[in-house]
Amino acid sequence: MKKDIKKYKPELLKKMLKQMLLIRRFEERAAQAYGLKKIGGFLHLYIGQEAVAAGSIANLDLKTDYVYTAYRDHGHAIACGMDINSLMAELYGKATGCSRGKGGSMHFFDNEKHFMGGNGIVGAHIPLAAGTALKIRYNNEKGVVLCFFGDGAIHQGSFHETLNLTKIWNLPVVFICENNQYGMGTDFRRVSSVDDFSIMGQSYGIPGKQVNGMDILDVYDEVGEAVKRAKTENTPTLLEIKTYRYKGHSMSDPARYRTKEELEEYKNQDPILILKSILLENNVMTEEEFQNLDKGIKEQVKASADFAEQSSEPDLNSLYEDVLV
Amino acid sequence: MAIITYREALRQALEEEMDRDKNVIVMGEEVAQYNGAYKVTKGLLDTFGEKRVIDTPITEEGFTGVAIGAALAGMRPVVEWMTFNFSIQAMDQVFNNAAKMLYMSGGQINVPIVFRGPNGPAEFLGSQHSQALASIYAHFPGLKVVSPATPYDAKGLLKSAIRDDNPVVFMEAELMYSWEGEVPEGEYLIDIGKADLKKDGSDVSLITYGKPLRIVLEAAEQLKKSGVDAEVLDLRSLRPLDEEAVLQTVRKTNRVVIIDESWPVASMASHIGWFISKYAFDDLDAPVELVTSEDVPMPYNHNLELAAQPSVEKIIKAVNTVLYIKEA
Ligand SMILES: Cc1ncc(C[n+]2csc(CCOP(=O)(O)OP(=O)(O)O)c2C)c(N)n1
Ligand SMILES: [Mg+2]
């Protein structure tokens, strides 16, 4: 698979590879910490899907643009440039966490970096993304809102209501359905009237497209197009990005509803390995540089776990803080 | 008697009622092929087939409404909400349709349906996944609301709920699914609207329902050691409420602590507190105390989340208050 990669700046390619690696190593570490009971509750891992968050968000200027996603939110938070120390500390429930230990895995937030969470109710954040786009349009700002959600969420009324609203009000939103094939244990084909989600835009006069989410350059290009359209024409877009989660839905799910072969098939088109081999083939990076990069990231991730471990628990008085401003 | 889990008790009730009446169907997310997110519907797909055990998309408002439509036309659906947190999306259907259809139609159209699933906090799940919603459901006339705390009650009440000709909201709890208890081999039903006196006592009445029952009994044990003889009343049903049982225990002990894992404002606990002050005012030797969840959304951090909920310590403190015992 030969790609013309001259159109991408080497720094961009390296940055995207680095981000995907960082997401993966961060989550591997989180899974370990979960096994040691440092982290509790739901931990939804993004491993396998890294190209979607990293490739999409690479198109944004987070001074003007915004990101919304659901509870599988570590990858998007990292791609928005959040400090992984604050993310790991949040998983550990510590006061130094990005949500002061009150949110946990599903509720990462960074208002300054325009990462708006981290929502635990399937489909509930989709209208919020449009509302933020309304603000952008109201003030004649340059921004766009990326709204990520799953194949399970696409049947919610909130999705369909919001598509219509963004079209009639010309709101700059890019809807990104991360179709990782399963909503919990349910194969998306079992609960959908159509197999191709991208056509759902048509009912609302919104352009739609399917994208290969294992190839970060495809993701980058297609989201880039949609972002441009949103910023110049105030038109929403629906993208169905086909991807795969390697782990179970959350830590307690053994994922018996799929075959080993299916999992292997996707691991063979691993987004990190694909981009890595493109970079090596095109002499953007050497194997040694890659190994050093990975080593550095592993150290960074370990340091985040140490930071989380050493951070203090939230003060009991904080229980009654943040209820109202 | 057999010792089974709360989960198994629910499963047996579903199986027996589906066997008994072909109009009973089960509907919800992951209930069929996955055997239920918490395995309550385990094996039902194998036994009854996909026509009667139905996996839905993640569309709480939609499938809850569809089930209500089937019920008012004569079926008896059991809707599983993966948790009550997600039922918030279905509340319009429950409150505006299920709860009002009989009344609006002047008694023509009843809605025999059960809405069930785990309610209240488990552990480490954060604000959106740790909500005790009994008070909201109990607010609406036209619904029955039950909240069993033992495998015995779970089975008997679920069977009654399925046979009831009204909409019944049936509240379980994730942490209760593995609790064990005695359940008779043969068939039995428990009347909706009947409280259960769990422990006789003379000094103070501890009134509760649902998951907190366990810590209430624990508190009663500890109180016994310090010479306080607590009575424990498990309401089991919130609507209709067993008002007679409440008044009886108040008249007996003259002191009351109500333990409710909901928030305190406009809650089941505050309602019962008012009810007692209105109808048993002269029997009270102290103002009624409430032990509820703290008036905040649930935090993720475990220390904070434990501090946000009722506990044995908080119950004992409240008992000391109504007994005017100064703590050392
Ligand atoms: C309204 C609502 N219903 C049910 C759930 C429980 N739940 C959490 S994740 C999930 C599956 C969602 O699948 P999908 O949208 O494909 O996202 P993925 O987990 O694959 O990222 C379900 C049913 C929920 N959180 N919110
Ligand atoms: Mg999915």
Side-chain angles (χ1 to χ4, degrees):
Chain A
M1 174 190 40
K2 269 278 178 217
K3 258 208 162 79
D4 173 29
I5 67 150
K6 293 204 183 64
K7 62 174 179 169
Y8 308 101
K9 291 206 178 85
E11 301 81 63
L12 172 70
L13 295 169
K14 286 188 198 169
K15 181 184 137 198
M16 291 199 293
L17 184 65
K18 187 174 163 190
Q19 261 180 359
M20 288 198 289
L21 257 183
L22 182 57
I23 296 169
R24 181 154 307 177
R25 299 301 181 218
F26 176 86
E27 291 210 315
E28 286 168 352
R29 187 81 199 192
Q32 238 176 31
Y34 194 92
L36 298 170
K37 296 206 160 31
K38 303 282 184 193
I39 301 170
F42 294 143
L43 183 71
H44 306 93
L45 299 182
Y46 196 62
I47 294 177
Q49 299 181 218
E50 295 92 341
V52 185
S56 303
I57 293 169
N59 286 290
L60 300 188
D61 172 359
L62 288 165
K63 289 193 187 64
T64 52
D65 304 338
Y66 293 79
V67 172
Y68 280 87
T69 189
Y71 45 83
R72 198 179 298 285
D73 62 351
H74 310 161
H76 309 84
I78 291 172
C80 285
M82 284 177 72
D83 169 19
I84 65 163
N85 282 0
S86 79
L87 301 182
M88 194 63 90
E90 188 58 36
L91 296 180
Y92 279 57
K94 296 298 181 74
T96 51
C98 62
S99 307
R100 302 215 293 153
K102 285 181 167 169
S105 163
M106 297 189 286
H107 307 301
F108 287 175
F109 289 92
D110 191 333
N111 200 20
E112 229 166 77
K113 294 211 156 70
H114 287 181
F115 178 67
M116 310 311 287
N119 200 302
I121 305 299
V122 169
H125 62 292
I126 300 174
L128 304 185
T132 298
L134 179 75
K135 182 234 48 167
I136 289 171
R137 185 128 161 78
Y138 188 81
N139 294 326
N140 285 319
E141 295 169 23
K142 288 266 162 300
V144 63
V145 183
L146 296 194
C147 179
F148 296 86
F149 53 91
D151 49 285
I154 204 162
H155 304 297
Q156 284 282 27
S158 62
F159 168 74
H160 294 273
E161 292 176 29
T162 304
L163 246 61
N164 185 54
L165 289 168
T166 52
K167 180 63 185 181
I168 62 174
W169 292 340
N170 300 318
L171 302 178
V173 180
V174 181
F175 297 97
I176 298 176
C177 177
E178 297 194 52
N179 184 354
N180 62 6
Q181 329 271 331
Y182 296 91
M184 222 168 240
T186 301
D187 187 312
F188 77 100
R189 296 167 202 89
R190 282 212 290 127
V191 286
S192 180
S193 58
V194 292
D195 283 359
D196 177 355
F197 288 139
S198 71
I199 68 168
M200 285 187 175
Q202 284 175 20
S203 326
Y204 305 98
I206 292 175
K209 196 159 186 183
Q210 282 189 320
V211 180
N212 174 11
M214 307 309 274
D215 184 336
I216 194 167
L217 298 180
D218 282 358
V219 173
Y220 178 77
D221 289 346
E222 295 297 346
V223 174
E225 283 284 304
V227 163
K228 200 158 80 196
R229 196 160 40 234
K231 288 190 175 183
T232 54
E233 300 165 32
N234 281 311
T235 312
T237 300
L238 170 62
L239 297 175
E240 178 195 3
I241 304 192
K242 301 280 251 181
T243 180
Y244 202 78
R245 66 166 152 73
Y246 295 177
K247 305 290 177 182
H249 169 74
S250 64
M251 298 306 281
S252 60
D253 171 25
R256 294 213 184 85
Y257 41 81
R258 65 183 184 192
T259 62
K260 272 208 191 78
E261 291 73 34
E262 184 181 285
L263 177 58
E264 283 313 310
E265 185 193 320
Y266 281 96
K267 283 188 171 173
N268 286 335
Q269 15 168 347
D270 184 83
I272 296 176
L273 294 183
I274 291 183
L275 184 61
K276 177 191 166 190
S277 64
I278 291 175
L279 296 203
L280 295 194
E281 272 169 36
N282 291 278
N283 304 315
V284 179
M285 190 182 252
T286 63
E287 176 67 36
E288 195 191 342
E289 280 171 339
F290 178 81
Q291 293 306 333
N292 284 336
L293 177 69
D294 194 24
K295 198 162 149 247
I297 285 175
K298 282 180 176 156
E299 279 160 15
Q300 195 189 341
V301 166
K302 183 180 176 304
S304 76
D306 294 342
F307 172 81
E309 184 75 46
Q310 286 151 19
S311 292
S312 45
E313 296 276 328
D315 193 289
L316 271 188
N317 291 324
S318 71
L319 187 59
Y320 272 90
E321 291 167 4
D322 310 320
V323 180
L324 293 171
V325 288
Chain B
M1 286 212 269
I3 300 216
I4 62 172
T5 60
Y6 190 100
R7 173 188 285 113
E8 170 63 10
L10 293 169
R11 197 202 61 76
Q12 287 181 6
L14 288 169
E15 188 175 46
E16 288 175 19
E17 293 306 301
M18 290 183 82
D19 242 345
R20 181 178 171 271
D21 181 351
K22 69 166 178 34
N23 280 316
V24 179
I25 59 171
V26 170
M27 190 186 282
E29 293 157 20
E30 309 288 351
V31 296
Q33 290 193 14
Y34 200 72
N35 284 309
Y38 299 102
K39 306 296 169 211
V40 171
T41 54
K42 192 167 182 185
L44 294 183
L45 174 66
D46 286 346
T47 311
F48 298 105
E50 58 189 26
K51 197 170 163 203
R52 297 183 65 193
V53 186
I54 305 167
D55 276 330
T56 68
I58 307 167
T59 51
E60 279 78 4
E61 184 183 358
F63 72 74
T64 300
V66 169
I68 293 168
L72 60 83
M75 296 189 67
R76 288 185 179 271
V78 178
V79 170
E80 175 173 303
W81 288 320
M82 191 173 283
T83 77
F84 266 79
N85 302 291
F86 316 139
S87 81
I88 295 172
Q89 299 200 327
M91 281 184 171
D92 179 54
Q93 287 298 327
V94 178
F95 297 155
N96 274 322
N97 287 334
K100 296 181 174 59
M101 198 56 72
L102 184 67
Y103 199 81
M104 291 190 299
S105 68
Q108 296 179 71
I109 301 175
N110 68 307
V111 185
I113 190 167
V114 176
F115 308 104
R116 54 156 290 274
N119 175 52
E123 285 185 301
F124 298 100
L125 300 183
S127 299
Q128 293 181 326
H129 282 75
S130 315
Q131 307 178 74
L133 300 174
S135 303
I136 295 181
Y137 282 99
H139 189 63
F140 283 82
L143 298 177
K144 292 188 178 181
V145 181
V146 298
S147 181
T150 66
Y152 175 80
D153 289 345
K155 182 170 178 184
L157 279 168
L158 183 53
K159 286 169 69 78
S160 295
I162 293 171
R163 293 186 201 185
D164 202 291
D165 289 330
N166 298 289
V168 181
V169 179
F170 193 94
M171 308 186 113
E172 305 153 12
E174 183 186 335
L175 295 179
M176 284 201 288
Y177 286 137
S178 56
W179 291 7
E180 295 185 329
E182 287 189 336
V183 169
E185 310 283 350
E187 171 160 304
Y188 67 97
L189 297 169
I190 294 174
D191 287 345
I192 293 175
K194 286 270 175 295
D196 185 30
L197 193 65
K198 283 281 186 274
K199 181 183 170 300
D200 248 321
S202 53
D203 296 335
V204 59
S205 299
L206 307 181
I207 301 178
T208 192
Y209 65 91
K211 184 172 89 221
L213 176 66
R214 200 173 249 203
I215 55 165
V216 171
L217 289 170
E218 222 175 290
E221 265 320 291
Q222 286 197 25
L223 286 164
K224 196 154 88 189
K225 285 182 203 139
S226 47
V228 175
D229 186 15
E231 176 147 304
V232 177
L233 184 70
D234 175 8
L235 295 169
R236 300 198 291 195
S237 298
L238 305 180
R239 230 189 218 274
L241 183 65
D242 192 343
E243 296 176 344
E244 200 37 52
V246 171
L247 292 178
Q248 247 173 36
T249 185
V250 179
R251 287 185 189 124
K252 184 170 166 195
T253 69
N254 314 112
R255 297 168 201 272
V256 184
V257 176
I258 304 167
I259 302 93
D260 180 351
E261 67 177 348
S262 309
W263 289 297
V265 178
S267 64
M268 220 36 231
S270 64
H271 168 73
I272 296 167
W274 161 81
F275 173 81
I276 292 169
S277 80
K278 169 124 179 123
Y279 295 102
F281 189 73
D282 292 338
D283 295 292
L284 286 176
D285 286 343
V288 174
E289 278 289 311
L290 308 188
V291 176
T292 66
S293 279
E294 301 295 324
D295 200 15
V296 300
M298 187 65 82
Y300 164 71
N301 173 276
H302 200 48
N303 294 334
L304 292 185
E305 105 174 305
L306 292 177
Q309 296 175 63
S311 63
V312 171
E313 295 70 40
K314 289 181 187 178
I315 296 167
I316 290 175
K317 193 158 175 247
V319 166
N320 286 335
T321 304
V322 299
L323 285 166
Y324 299 110
I325 295 174
K326 286 225 172 57
E327 282 173 80

